[in-house]
Amino acid sequence: MVRFATEMGYEGYPEMQKALREFTTNRLTNVQRIDVMSDQIGEDDLYETVLNMDIDKIRRTLEEGDKEEFYHTVDHLVNAKNIYIIGSRSAAVLARFLNFYFNVIFDNVRLIHTTSTSEMFEQILHIGEGDIMIGISFPRYSKHTVKAFKYASSRGATVIAITDSKTSPLAAYANHMLLARSDMASFADSLVAPLSVINALIVAVGVKKRDYVAENFERLEQIYDEYEVYETSDDQDY
């Protein structure tokens, strides 16, 4: 296998294996992924297998992550004029999670929540210098998000990518990149490591704006009580 990899132009078998893994992740359709999943994962103890694969992705994300880039990103966010968040398809779940908490931390957050390209551009029309766009995209990458990045970059905004690789199409327009492992030979995307990175980002920004966040949560708790947002033990019948 080592000789074959060398003849194919790779430095060795690990490099060829990495290239094949990236091809599987980025190019295969969901139907093709199902076939690969059957070959690589099998059917024995899927519960343990999938959870261990997710654990490995978080570990590798931590080992390969750029802490300096992470904290530079935090500093930019704290000083942003406006923050735009975009994520399409399965990444939309991550975008909504980030938006939920950023709306408590900031008063200048906008979630781009449409799959229509024309409506997307209408929502980011006024983005410019001093603003930040956070885009979340993993294979198979969304053209929707790439187009938003290209426009935001052309307008002078700071562009932050949360993605899986420096070869991601988002990289061409990103000022900062937070990388997280998402590769899984399955029709379902593994978003555990990306969510963990986003959670770290929320906490780090929250610590920077501790007093403002505490004030907002105190006000929210009063609203929750007044308008009975959550169930309490007093509401339960025994």
Side-chain angles (χ1 to χ4, degrees):
M1 289 299 294
V2 174
R3 191 181 304 113
F4 175 75
T6 304
E7 291 176 356
M8 291 294 292
Y10 298 102
E11 292 183 1
Y13 177 68
E15 185 182 352
M16 186 182 76
Q17 190 178 40
K18 180 181 178 182
L20 289 172
R21 183 168 54 247
E22 289 180 352
F23 175 83
T24 300
T25 303
N26 301 341
R27 302 283 183 173
L28 297 188
T29 66
N30 285 336
V31 175
Q32 291 168 326
R33 284 189 184 189
I34 292 174
D35 293 333
V36 173
M37 177 185 67
S38 299
D39 292 337
Q40 293 191 4
I41 299 179
E43 298 181 2
D44 296 332
D45 205 351
L46 287 172
Y47 177 80
E48 182 175 346
T49 299
V50 172
L51 265 63
N52 277 323
M53 291 174 71
D54 278 338
I55 290 170
D56 181 63
K57 285 174 184 59
I58 293 178
R59 178 185 58 78
R60 291 168 65 190
T61 296
L62 181 60
E63 291 174 352
E64 299 167 4
D66 187 335
K67 290 185 180 180
E68 186 175 349
E69 181 81 334
F70 175 84
Y71 288 111
H72 279 322
T73 299
V74 171
D75 290 337
H76 279 293
L77 286 166
V78 169
N79 297 303
K81 187 193 302 182
N82 296 293
I83 299 172
Y84 296 78
I85 301 173
I86 185 168
S88 297
R89 304 185 66 79
S90 61
V93 176
L94 299 175
R96 287 197 296 270
F97 181 84
L98 180 60
N99 177 72
F100 177 83
Y101 283 102
F102 266 22
N103 265 302
V104 179
I105 299 174
F106 301 99
D107 57 5
N108 56 350
V109 181
R110 305 179 186 184
L111 176 64
I112 311 306
H113 53 76
T114 176
T115 56
S116 164
T117 301
S118 60
E119 290 182 1
M120 175 195 73
F121 281 117
E122 289 165 5
Q123 292 180 53
I124 64 175
L125 178 65
H126 301 293
I127 193 171
E129 293 184 10
D131 295 333
I132 286 179
M133 173 174 284
I134 303 176
I136 308 169
S137 189
F138 294 87
R140 299 152 65 190
Y141 305 104
S142 167
K143 288 185 177 180
H144 196 68
T145 304
V146 175
K147 290 176 182 178
F149 260 40
K150 183 177 180 180
Y151 177 75
S153 178
S154 71
R155 294 279 297 171
T158 298
V159 182
I160 298 169
I162 301 177
T163 188
D164 67 317
S165 168
K166 291 181 180 179
T167 62
S168 163
L170 273 63
Y173 307 104
N175 301 104
H176 298 283
M177 295 182 66
L178 301 180
L179 303 182
R181 288 283 182 172
S182 68
D183 45 300
M184 177 177 281
S186 167
F187 61 89
D189 297 324
S190 176
L191 301 178
V192 172
L195 181 59
S196 189
V197 169
I198 288 171
N199 195 33
L201 190 64
I202 292 167
V203 172
V205 172
V207 168
K208 287 272 189 178
K209 295 173 63 70
R210 182 185 293 106
D211 293 340
Y212 182 75
V213 174
E215 180 183 336
N216 283 346
F217 271 116
E218 184 176 351
R219 191 182 311 162
L220 279 172
E221 288 298 334
Q222 294 173 356
I223 293 171
Y224 296 157
D225 289 341
E226 182 178 351
Y227 293 96
E228 299 180 342
V229 174
Y230 292 114
E231 289 286 340
T232 64
S233 57
D234 295 337
D235 297 329
Q236 297 177 7
D237 296 326
Y238 295 95

